[in-house]
Amino acid sequence: MKRRTAARRAPPAGLRKASTGIAGLDEILEGGLPAGRPTLICGGAGSGKTLLTIEFLVRGANQFDEPGVFMGFEETRSELAQNVASLGFDLEQQIAQGKLAVDYVLVERREIHETGDYDLEGLFVRLGHAIDALGAKRVAIDSIETLFTGLEDTALLRAELHRLFRWLKDKGVTALITAERGEGGLTRHGMEEYVSDCVILLDNRVSNQFATRRLRIVKYRGSRHGADEFPFVIGEAGLSVLPITSLGLTHEASAQRISSGVVHLDQMLGGQGYYRGSSVVVSGTAGTGKSSLVAHFANATCAQGERALIFLLEESPSQYLRNMCSIGIDLAQWMRRDLLRIHAARPTLCGLESHLQTIHRLTAEFDPAVVAVDPITNLASVSSFSEARALLIRLIDFLKTRQITALFTSLIHGERDIETTDIGISSLMDVWLMLRDSEHNGERNRLLYVLKARGMAHSNQVREFRLTPEGIRMIDVYVGPAGVLTGTARLAQEARERDAEAARREEVERRARELQQRHLALQAQIDALRLELETNVIERERLLAQAEQQHAASLRDRVAMALARHADGMSPGAAPRRRRGA
């Protein structure tokens, strides 16, 4: 899947900018440094001034075809090349290709006293020759204090500073000038920041025994810029200013869904799982199954042919793989197919910025669809909660702009309100899953519920779940007389209800048999009555027929008798007539 990167803001009309090529710095500068103008880089020892200027020149030559000249007063060419080799910069190769020129000028303090009237004409000639010979577009001077060592005439110093900055502008080069931090101001002389068009302050501070480098844009004439302090790290690929993301909430929201890896959990989330690119936090006390949910999610992602990246802050990769095998999840197979990578490091290994820079770098290299951090709360052990929360905000913005689904686990300590997180990250999350233990009858059972899920219908039920050799198995909600029951209490109540149900079934069956027997008895009575009725009908019809036959026979007998007597002269077949007077 193609990842989205943060859109870079266009510089204001009329002001040309030179991109530094340094990760994150151009976003804060809203396009880069002022082109054709000098920029002052000030800071204390070890803050990264020289490395920033070198990277500015190297990236300018390689990425933007702008050759550069470095003029140093403290390190020789060979010393400088050795120092920056750890960042992956090969100065000698750049010099051989005609992309860079490095000039070392040795300035002795006694020579400045002996010279009398001080000016920078010699510097202009030497630097101008290097610029013209190389066709340089970028210049770095490290550091400006060396030029004015021992010079106490404030008026002369200010005049020469003005001459230097004006000369650089006239040459049309984008210049970086380093200066050491002063006691009460940005620089030792307290003048350089006033004649510079842009001032960047670098700081290297120690907090809770961890060193943190910070960068702040103090001044930028003619341009908007980020005014806050931004942490930065010096890594294998140079400087990286954090965040390397958009400074606004401009990321797009995907409507595509991605499975959590647990079927019943997907059903609790509207039947489809998380939104792609969303941020999910799984919080709970120790041992509630947070890491197991991470493994399920990564396993389901890899099974779909997408990549997953897991950052572990408590376990080694080997231990994590072994533990997940106990619930039937073989993550090693995905690592062999390069669909899964696991990076493990103790939070105390380095400062927060280094951890964040590592996540950024590995994410950019591996291009995963899913990133998980287990647990995010451990980062608070090397900083304050506010700093850990600021780091998480940067990380969430970075992942959202790339449409990467993020899963964080949050460890809850103690018996306080569990519906809070130790570093206050709940408001930043799109989905919040809460895991907790239920202690009853001398046992602890795991419960899960969805505390919030933005933009999707979700279950409001508390579900019991088990870690089985086949993975996480959700138990159907069971509500007993005393509420939701779990563990053996649920099993005992289910057994009691099964017994009661069996007794009810037996009673129903007994009553059914009785009713059946009564039904049969009544049916027999009905059949007997029906038979009796039919017999009565038949007897009645027989009696009626017999009566009719008897009447007919009687009639025939009378007629026969009358005929036999020949009464009143009747002939056979004639009906007898009645006598007169009879």
Side-chain angles (χ1 to χ4, degrees):
M1 176 180 292
K2 184 177 180 181
R3 307 292 177 214
R4 298 182 58 86
T5 56
R8 181 175 297 174
R9 298 180 183 177
L15 179 63
R16 292 190 306 111
K17 293 196 174 184
S19 177
T20 64
I22 298 174
L25 182 56
D26 288 336
E27 282 78 3
I28 297 172
L29 293 168
E30 297 200 9
L33 298 172
R37 298 184 182 184
T39 295
L40 181 68
I41 309 296
C42 52
S47 58
K49 301 185 297 298
T50 302
L51 294 179
L52 190 152
T53 59
I54 287 293
E55 185 166 355
F56 171 71
L57 296 180
V58 171
R59 297 197 181 280
N62 293 336
Q63 299 178 16
F64 309 108
D65 194 26
E66 293 186 357
V69 174
F70 181 89
M71 177 167 283
F73 305 101
E74 297 177 347
E75 298 175 278
T76 64
R77 170 173 157 176
S78 61
E79 291 172 342
L80 189 64
Q82 291 176 357
N83 292 342
V84 300
S86 61
L87 304 180
F89 301 147
D90 189 347
L91 287 189
E92 295 297 340
Q93 182 182 12
Q94 300 288 320
I95 295 171
Q97 293 175 352
K99 296 180 179 181
L100 286 182
V102 177
D103 191 7
Y104 168 66
V105 178
L106 178 62
V107 178
E108 294 288 349
R109 181 173 180 176
R110 66 176 186 276
E111 294 178 357
I112 296 177
H113 284 295
E114 293 172 356
T115 300
D117 292 336
Y118 184 84
D119 61 56
L120 299 175
E121 287 299 330
L123 174 68
F124 295 158
V125 172
R126 188 164 181 169
L127 186 56
H129 175 73
I131 293 173
D132 295 338
L134 198 63
K137 300 296 182 181
R138 302 187 178 202
V139 170
I141 299 177
D142 183 37
S143 68
I144 197 170
E145 282 82 17
T146 309
L147 286 175
F148 302 105
T149 301
L151 190 62
E152 299 179 357
D153 189 336
T154 303
L156 179 59
L157 174 61
R158 180 180 292 273
E160 291 302 306
L161 281 174
H162 275 285
R163 285 187 62 205
L164 173 61
F165 282 70
R166 174 50 56 189
W167 183 87
L168 292 170
K169 287 185 178 180
D170 292 342
K171 295 294 290 186
V173 294
T174 305
L176 287 186
I177 303 171
T178 67
E180 296 179 7
R181 185 75 181 268
E183 291 293 336
L186 296 178
T187 61
R188 286 188 178 182
H189 299 109
M191 302 178 185
E192 297 91 326
E193 56 265 38
Y194 296 102
V195 296
S196 302
D197 290 271
C198 180
V199 178
I200 299 177
L201 175 63
L202 306 183
D203 181 34
N204 187 14
R205 69 189 67 166
V206 177
S207 177
N208 294 328
Q209 300 180 350
F210 290 96
T212 303
R213 290 186 170 90
R214 305 278 176 172
L215 177 148
R216 181 166 66 94
I217 312 300
V218 178
K219 158 184 174 181
Y220 197 154
R221 288 173 180 162
S223 174
R224 297 175 303 180
H225 58 86
D228 298 328
E229 276 193 334
F230 296 93
F232 73 96
V233 295
I234 300 174
E236 298 175 355
L239 275 76
S240 178
V241 183
L242 308 176
I244 316 176
T245 65
S246 171
L247 298 180
L249 295 173
T250 57
H251 56 270
E252 295 184 4
S254 173
Q256 184 181 358
R257 304 290 277 270
I258 181 171
S259 173
S260 66
V262 180
V263 175
H264 288 90
L265 178 55
D266 288 345
Q267 294 174 354
M268 295 177 69
L269 296 169
Q272 302 179 66
Y274 313 122
Y275 280 118
R276 185 179 294 278
S278 61
S279 300
V280 182
V281 62
V282 180
S283 60
T285 54
T288 50
K290 300 182 295 298
S291 299
S292 299
L293 279 177
V294 171
H296 271 277
F297 191 29
N299 186 64
T301 300
C302 296
Q304 295 297 319
E306 295 185 296
R307 291 179 169 179
L309 181 60
I310 300 177
F311 294 92
L312 299 177
L313 301 177
E314 288 184 335
E315 301 177 90
S316 69
S318 176
Q319 181 180 358
Y320 187 74
L321 294 176
R322 181 205 64 187
N323 293 346
M324 293 307 107
C325 286
S326 67
I327 58 173
I329 300 179
D330 181 13
L331 295 178
Q333 60 174 324
W334 308 123
M335 297 185 69
R336 290 190 294 269
R337 295 169 57 179
D338 199 28
L339 290 174
L340 173 67
R341 290 186 185 178
I342 300 178
H343 177 82
R346 287 289 185 189
T348 53
L349 178 65
C350 54
L352 284 181
E353 287 73 28
S354 295
H355 283 292
L356 185 56
Q357 193 269 345
T358 299
I359 295 175
H360 284 182
R361 176 176 56 82
L362 293 180
T363 300
E365 292 175 0
F366 192 50
D367 192 26
V370 167
V371 168
V373 182
D374 180 29
I376 194 69
T377 41
N378 277 25
L379 293 177
S381 63
V382 298
S383 65
S384 65
F385 286 157
S386 61
E387 290 176 339
R389 188 174 188 275
L391 174 142
L392 189 59
I393 292 174
R394 297 187 182 102
L395 179 56
I396 290 173
D397 287 343
F398 170 71
L399 296 176
K400 280 185 177 292
T401 56
R402 299 173 69 91
Q403 288 291 291
I404 296 175
T405 308
L407 179 63
F408 306 98
T409 66
S410 175
L411 178 63
I412 297 176
H413 300 279
E415 298 297 331
R416 59 178 179 75
D417 183 9
I418 65 171
E419 292 188 359
T420 59
T421 53
D422 280 353
I423 56 176
I425 61 174
S426 59
S427 62
L428 307 175
M429 296 299 163
D430 300 305
V431 178
W432 186 0
L433 304 179
M434 177 64 69
L435 308 183
R436 63 183 179 89
D437 287 324
S438 173
E439 186 173 353
H440 187 67
N441 291 336
E443 64 180 17
R444 299 177 71 90
N445 299 288
R446 296 180 175 90
L447 302 176
L448 178 149
Y449 59 96
V450 182
L451 203 56
K452 81 170 183 178
R454 288 173 177 163
M456 68 178 76
H458 58 278
S459 172
N460 63 349
Q461 292 183 330
V462 178
R463 300 291 299 272
E464 181 184 358
F465 70 96
R466 295 178 180 174
L467 301 179
T468 72
E470 291 74 36
I472 291 178
R473 185 169 70 89
M474 306 286 284
I475 309 298
D476 290 336
V477 174
Y478 189 87
V479 180
V484 177
L485 301 179
T486 62
T488 57
R490 175 181 55 80
L491 297 176
Q493 181 63 24
E494 287 179 343
R496 287 191 293 270
E497 293 195 0
R498 282 195 301 269
D499 293 341
E501 180 64 23
R504 284 193 297 270
R505 285 198 301 268
E506 291 178 359
E507 178 65 17
V508 169
E509 291 174 358
R510 185 186 64 79
R511 292 291 305 278
R513 288 193 300 269
E514 291 179 353
L515 290 174
Q516 180 66 17
Q517 292 172 357
R518 185 177 179 185
H519 172 77
L520 293 175
L522 291 173
Q523 186 66 44
Q525 293 177 8
I526 291 172
D527 292 342
L529 290 173
R530 183 179 293 113
L531 180 59
E532 183 179 357
L533 177 62
E534 292 175 353
T535 303
N536 290 340
V537 171
I538 293 172
E539 181 66 18
R540 181 178 63 83
E541 291 177 350
R542 187 183 64 78
L543 291 174
L544 291 175
Q546 185 178 5
E548 184 66 26
Q549 290 175 359
Q550 290 176 351
H551 175 70
S554 176
L555 227 94
R556 286 192 301 271
D557 289 344
R558 289 175 61 191
V559 171
M561 290 175 65
L563 289 176
R565 294 173 182 169
H566 300 284
D568 297 332
M570 290 182 56
S571 58
R577 294 184 297 178
R578 304 175 65 182
R579 293 179 182 180
R580 289 182 181 180

